[in-house]
């Protein structure tokens, strides 16, 4: 009887091991199934020509399904070397237009010179730096490259690297 | 194998094979319910009815709904609403039931709190019930997204972004949940799967568990009296029905429930036919637009109190960012009521009006949650009676936590020291 019992314990153990390995592998597979598809990951680049923009103008464009703010600073807006994208002799603010709190799109109020997020009353200044409310950090800067007067989103150029290094 | 004889009829044939009579006794005809319970105890049966309605109308809607971001909006707002015969009816029943089911869930939950039905021996009823609340919330949210209107889109955006608050892996988790960098088609199809398949399966299983947890401790009653169900059932079976404190679930108890279901259904179809709009946000009749946020985002009414707790903290405290405090408070609010059996230190099982301190506490909690609900709907940057909405939100959020985590343990400990009521 005791021999048999040991065999059963062994069979139970062996089954447990096989099931655990199988379970672990299938968890990995399930996780990967939910990951973004390759076609999504390979989402393209977006190129914008900055030259037609006027001083103080604000534009919203789309990159990788996300809205992007581009604001050309005018003479009244203080330069900020940590956040400005300098192209020629103009300064721009380029930022992912999603509030760093929960992802709503803040609204640009030209009169008050702030970005206001209506959802939970978050505020960002001209430079996209959070000044009030729950947003935990300034608006994110998307990877970009400068190509003459054009801005290429999705690629990282030296100007981007410099900004990120300062942040 | 049991001895199978030639049967005398269908019932007998089934009885020999699946012990039909025994099963009916266990499930209904000898499942004992106390006599002294009021209409508030009918909410369970009403919830079951609503759940069945949601299932059936859900099947009908699923035949025409298309889980694709380019087609979803029109498949609901054009095909189902205009082309499919009676499609509008199924949609309105589905939407109204989804909203009203939360009203009944809240009544059901607060009844349990009022009468102390989460205590001594009944903890699992309470815990499985709270689990159902969480599951229904997930079910409601995943369904809200499907018509792909503006509010659906931005609700999905905000709620999936919440997971970004998880330390270190937050951003990766958000991407994983969405299956894309932004809320998009893959997000819609997986929420569709959750809403119509996985979550309903889990819900049905947990509903069965919730019913089962009642079977042994039995349902509580209006006075919190501890009834010896075996003794009382004996009396009833011997024919002393007048003196027995219990009646069988069927036919006694259910007969009364059917009456309440009747009243409720009249109210329900009144809503479906004349006031279906309350369950439909006007912003959601605009197709989802990832490049434009509606000026003011708010969830359906039943999530407002939690939503207000999320945004209740808007400034940093002791170096913790407002963002993190808000998220933690929100996450905790979602599960806070799970721990009622722990906060309540006293063993007294009695209705709140017989427990002075607890009675006051109960109504303060209800009022606080109503205030949270109202301010969850108002814009965060508004001002009410000279006080900014943000501050009112902050104080009522703090009140919520103090009531549960500090006041309740204290008053119930005192109650215990006094030795009862
Ligand atoms: S999403 Fe902007 S403040 Fe919450």
């Amino acid at each position: 009887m005791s021999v048999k019992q040991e065999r059963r314990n062994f069979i139970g153990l062996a089954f447990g091991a096989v099931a655990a390995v199988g379970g672990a592998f299938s968890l990995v597979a399930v996780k990967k199934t939910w990951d973004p598809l390759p076609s999504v990951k390979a989402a393209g680049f977006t190129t914008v020509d900055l030259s037609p923009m006027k001083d103080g103008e604000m534009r919203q464009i789309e990159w990788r399904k996300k809205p992007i703010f581009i604001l050309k600073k005018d003479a009244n807006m203080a330069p900020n070397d940590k956040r400005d994208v300098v192209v020629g002799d103009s300064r721009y603010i380029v930022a992912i237009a999603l509030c760093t709190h929960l992802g709503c799109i803040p609204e640009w109020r030209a009169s008050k010179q702030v970005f206001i997020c209506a959802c939970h009353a978050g505020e960002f200044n001209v430079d996209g730096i959070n000044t009030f409310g729950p947003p935990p950090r300034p608006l994110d800067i998307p990877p970009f490259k400068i190509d003459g007067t054009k801005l290429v989103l999705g690629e990282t150029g030296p100007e981007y690297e410099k900004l990120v290094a300062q942040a | 194998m049991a001895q199978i004889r030639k049967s005398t009829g269908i019932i007998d044939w089934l009885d020999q094979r699946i012990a039909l009579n025994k099963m009916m006794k266990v499930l209904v005809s000898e499942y004992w319910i106390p006599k002294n319970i009021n209409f508030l105890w009918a909410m369970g049966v009403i919830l079951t009815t609503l759940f069945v309605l949601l299932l059936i109308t859900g099947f009908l809607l699923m035949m025409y709904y298309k889980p694709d971001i380019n087609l979803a909006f029109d498949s609901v707002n054009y095909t189902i609403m205009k082309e499919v015969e009676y499609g509008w009816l199924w949609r309105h029943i589905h939407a109204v039931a989804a909203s009203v089911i939360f009203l009944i869930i809240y009544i059901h939950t607060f009844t349990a709190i009022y009468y102390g039905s989460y205590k001594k021996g009944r903890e699992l009823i309470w815990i499985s019930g709270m689990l159902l609340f969480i599951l229904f919330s997930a079910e409601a949210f995943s369904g809200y997204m499907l018509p792909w209107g503006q509010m659906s889109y931005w609700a999905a955006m905000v709620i999936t972004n919440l997971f970004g608050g998880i330390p270190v892996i937050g951003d990766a988790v958000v991407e994983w949940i969405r299956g894309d960098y932004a809320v998009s088609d893959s997000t819609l199809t997986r929420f569709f799967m959750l809403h119509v398949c996985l979550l309903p399966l889990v819900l049905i299983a947990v509903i069965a568990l919730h019913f089962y947890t009642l079977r042994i401790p039995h349902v509580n009653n209006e006075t919190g009296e501890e009834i010896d169900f075996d003794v009382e059932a004996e009396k009833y079976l011997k024919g002393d029905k007048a003196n027995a404190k219990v009646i069988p679930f069927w036919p006694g108890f259910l007969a009364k429930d059917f009456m309440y279901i009747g009243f409720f259904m009249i109210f329900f179809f009144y809503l479906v036919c004349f006031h279906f709009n309350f369950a439909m946000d006007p912003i959601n009749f605009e197709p989802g637009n990832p490049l434009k946020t509606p000026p003011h985002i708010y969830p359906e009414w039943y999530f407002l109190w939690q939503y207000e707790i999320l945004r209740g903290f808007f400034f940093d405290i002791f170096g913790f960012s407002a963002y993190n405090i808000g998220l933690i408070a929100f996450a905790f609010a979602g599960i806070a009521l799970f721990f009622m059996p722990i906060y309540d230190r006293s063993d007294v099982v009695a209705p709140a009006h017989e427990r002075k301190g607890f009675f006051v506490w109960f109504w303060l909690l209800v009022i606080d949650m109503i205030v949270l609900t109202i301010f969850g709907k108002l814009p965060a940057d508004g001002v009410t009676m000279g006080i900014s909405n943000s501050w009112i939100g902050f104080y009522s959020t703090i009140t919520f936590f103090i009531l549960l985590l500090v006041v309740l343990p204290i008053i119930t400990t005192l109650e215990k020291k006094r030795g009862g009521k």
Side-chain angles (χ1 to χ4, degrees):
Chain A
M1 208 50 199
S2 73
V3 178
K4 272 191 181 159
Q5 194 51 49
E6 272 165 30
R7 273 195 208 166
R8 281 180 195 205
N9 287 343
F10 176 73
I11 291 174
L13 223 66
F15 173 74
V18 173
V21 172
F25 272 112
S26 34
L27 274 186
V28 172
V30 168
K31 145 88 171 66
K32 299 232 158 169
T33 299
W34 279 45
D35 274 340
L37 303 174
S39 57
V40 168
K41 283 188 184 153
F45 306 103
T46 306
T47 307
V48 229
D49 188 1
L50 299 175
S51 52
M53 281 184 75
K54 288 192 277 305
D55 278 0
E57 183 185 333
M58 188 9 229
R59 271 200 196 177
Q60 191 179 317
I61 58 154
E62 191 187 342
W63 166 72
R64 281 193 190 169
K65 294 177 189 146
K66 290 180 183 166
I68 304 286
F69 286 144
I70 302 180
L71 173 72
K72 182 167 186 184
K73 284 196 169 177
D74 60 21
N76 299 329
M77 301 176 187
N80 178 345
D81 286 327
K82 290 206 169 115
R83 306 272 308 172
D84 292 350
V85 176
V86 189
V87 180
D89 39 34
S90 335
R91 290 171 170 269
Y92 299 85
I93 288 298
V94 177
I96 298 181
L98 297 174
C99 177
T100 48
H101 179 221
L102 292 174
C104 298
I105 304 179
E107 189 196 335
W108 169 242
R109 299 245 171 103
S111 54
K112 284 167 89 189
Q113 303 268 298
V114 284
F115 294 97
I116 295 202
C117 184
C119 333
H120 319 99
E123 273 181 36
F124 301 86
N125 67 12
V126 187
D127 294 328
I129 294 168
N130 49 319
T131 49
F132 176 80
R137 58 172 195 278
L139 294 175
D140 294 323
I141 299 178
F144 66 86
K145 203 185 80 178
I146 296 169
D147 180 8
T149 60
K150 294 202 181 77
L151 184 73
V152 184
L153 291 168
E155 228 174 298
T156 53
E159 297 84 356
Y160 172 73
E161 260 144 42
K162 216 178 81 205
L163 286 192
V164 174
Q166 284 167 347
Chain B
M1 201 166 83
Q3 284 304 317
I4 301 285
R5 310 162 263 105
K6 181 159 177 27
S7 61
T8 54
I10 293 175
I11 304 258
D12 184 44
W13 191 89
L14 286 171
D15 201 29
Q16 290 189 47
R17 283 157 182 83
I18 56 169
L20 183 72
N21 282 319
K22 179 132 194 219
M23 187 174 79
M24 291 312 282
K25 277 188 185 168
V26 171
L27 289 184
V28 291
S29 68
E30 288 186 12
Y31 170 26
W32 305 104
I33 306 289
K35 276 183 185 167
N36 66 333
I37 55 181
N38 56 33
F39 76 97
L40 289 167
W41 271 264
M43 297 304 147
V45 180
I46 290 180
L47 283 173
T48 318
T49 315
L50 281 171
F51 184 69
V52 172
L53 264 184
L54 282 165
L55 269 187
I56 296 172
T57 52
F59 291 142
L60 293 167
L61 292 170
M62 211 181 8
M63 293 193 294
Y64 290 97
Y65 173 74
K66 296 210 165 55
D68 177 312
I69 50 170
N70 299 311
L71 306 173
F73 186 80
D74 285 335
S75 75
V76 174
N77 289 296
Y78 182 74
T79 313
I80 291 176
M81 291 301 282
K82 303 226 164 85
E83 280 201 296
V84 178
E85 286 204 65
Y86 290 98
W88 57 270
L89 179 64
W90 311 133
R91 186 192 185 191
H92 287 157
I93 294 179
H94 202 77
V96 173
S99 190
V100 170
I101 204 168
F102 275 92
L103 176 67
I104 309 292
I105 287 178
Y106 283 131
I107 298 178
H108 196 58
T109 311
F110 278 95
T111 305
I113 296 180
Y114 191 92
Y115 290 98
S117 307
Y118 49 88
K119 297 199 202 187
K120 237 199 320 187
R122 298 199 176 92
E123 295 90 341
L124 274 183
I125 307 175
W126 177 258
I127 291 169
S128 57
M130 285 313 298
L131 197 58
L132 280 174
F133 175 70
I134 305 271
L135 285 169
F136 268 107
S137 303
E139 180 70 4
F141 167 63
S142 55
Y144 190 61
M145 218 190 123
L146 299 186
W148 207 249
Q150 248 311 53
M151 213 45 134
S152 305
Y153 180 89
W154 287 97
M157 178 70 139
V158 168
I159 300 295
T160 49
N161 248 329
L162 285 178
F163 293 90
I166 302 172
V168 193
I169 53 165
D171 290 337
V173 172
V174 173
E175 221 169 270
W176 181 69
I177 292 175
R178 293 177 180 165
D180 200 335
Y181 302 114
V183 172
S184 64
D185 199 57
S186 48
T187 322
L188 177 64
T189 45
R190 67 188 52 185
F191 275 60
F192 176 67
M193 179 283 287
L194 289 173
H195 185 71
V196 303
C197 180
L198 182 58
L199 288 173
L201 283 180
V202 179
L203 267 172
I204 291 170
V206 180
I207 290 173
L209 171 72
H210 190 57
F211 287 165
Y212 180 56
T213 54
L214 274 163
R215 190 66 179 75
I216 291 165
H218 283 87
V219 64
N220 193 9
N221 56 67
E222 248 182 313
T223 54
E225 178 187 358
E226 223 171 288
I227 297 174
D228 187 330
F229 283 84
D230 293 330
V231 173
E232 301 301 325
E234 190 90 349
K235 275 193 213 160
Y236 186 95
L237 288 173
K238 283 217 181 90
D240 188 7
K241 296 188 184 177
N243 280 323
K245 287 181 177 158
V246 296
I247 46 168
F249 185 65
W250 170 262
F253 179 69
L254 259 192
K256 197 169 153 199
D257 265 11
F258 282 142
M259 180 186 80
Y260 291 124
I261 293 178
F263 285 136
F264 177 76
M265 281 296 129
I266 293 172
F267 162 71
F268 178 76
F269 279 96
Y270 167 72
L271 288 182
V272 169
C273 297
F274 300 102
H275 288 288
F276 53 84
N277 266 343
F278 87 92
M280 303 255 163
D281 195 286
I283 299 178
N284 231 7
F285 287 95
E286 222 176 280
N289 180 355
L291 299 179
K292 191 180 143 248
T293 309
H296 175 197
I297 296 190
Y298 46 80
E300 287 292 277
W301 70 268
Y302 40 86
F303 290 142
L304 284 171
W305 67 275
Q306 273 175 297
Y307 182 71
E308 184 61 14
I309 287 179
L310 167 72
R311 63 180 193 181
F313 295 96
F314 55 94
F315 50 87
D316 301 357
I317 304 174
F318 301 130
F320 292 103
S321 70
Y323 174 72
N324 287 328
I325 306 175
L327 279 189
I328 293 169
F330 172 75
F332 183 70
I335 56 165
L337 290 176
F338 261 101
F339 309 111
M340 275 303 289
I342 300 177
Y343 310 138
D344 191 334
R345 315 299 311 158
S346 150
D347 314 314
V348 181
V349 180
H353 55 258
E354 286 175 17
R355 303 168 65 194
K356 264 183 259 113
F358 186 80
F359 183 74
V360 175
W361 174 87
F362 176 87
W363 287 111
L364 284 179
L365 182 73
V366 173
I367 292 168
D368 189 50
M369 286 180 74
I370 292 175
V371 171
L372 282 168
T373 301
I374 294 172
F375 283 87
K377 181 91 190 202
L378 297 176
D381 49 4
V383 172
T384 306
M385 298 187 301
I387 313 170
S388 94
N389 287 356
S390 299
W391 281 104
I392 298 181
F394 173 73
Y395 285 120
S396 29
T397 299
I398 295 281
T399 310
F400 179 81
F401 289 114
I402 291 183
L403 279 176
L404 277 181
L405 300 176
V406 181
V407 178
L408 185 56
I410 292 178
I411 56 169
T412 48
T413 308
L414 291 179
E415 184 180 86
K416 194 172 178 186
K417 282 219 188 98
R418 258 181 283 130
K421 320 189 170 178

